[in-house]
Amino acid sequence: MKTVAQLLRIKDEKNQQVHTISPDDMVLQALMRMAEKNVGALLVVKNGEVLGIISERDYARKMVLHGRSSVGTKVSDIMVSPVITIDPHQNVETCLSIMTEKHLRHLPVVEDGKLVGLLSIGDLVKEAIAEQADLIRQLEQYIRGE
C-alpha cells in the first residue's frame, strides 16, 4: 500500500493545491473561495498552523439551518476544531479506516506541526481501487503462468 507521502507526490504532479482560509475571515469569503476553487472544504490556518476545517456541510448545518448570516459570521465560529490529522508515513488503509470511523471526508496531512497536504476520501478510494486492480492483474498473470 502506498503511503500518504507517495499520494501527495502524485497530487503535487497534478498541481493540486491545498486551499486555506483564515479563522478571522467571514463565512461568505469561505463560500466564495470554495466555489472559485471548486472544492468542498477549506482548511482554517493561522501562522502555518491548522486550527480547523470548514466545509459546505458545516455551512448548511450551522448557518442555513439556523438562519445565520454568512456576511457577519467568522469562519472560526463554525469551523470544526480540533482537526484530526495524519502524518505522511501512514498508509491508505489506515487513512480510510480513520475516515470511516470518524465520518470524515478530508484529512489534513501534518508533519512537524506544519501543513504539507490534504487528502480527500476520493483520493484514497481511487488509490485503493487502483491497488486492488493491480493485485487482480498480478493474480491473473500468476494463474496463467506468465
Side-chain angles (χ1 to χ4, degrees), residues 20-35:
T20 64
I21 195 153
S22 165
D24 298 321
D25 286 338
M26 295 298 139
V27 170
L28 181 61
Q29 291 170 285
L31 292 172
M32 291 168 58
R33 185 159 307 146
M34 281 187 255

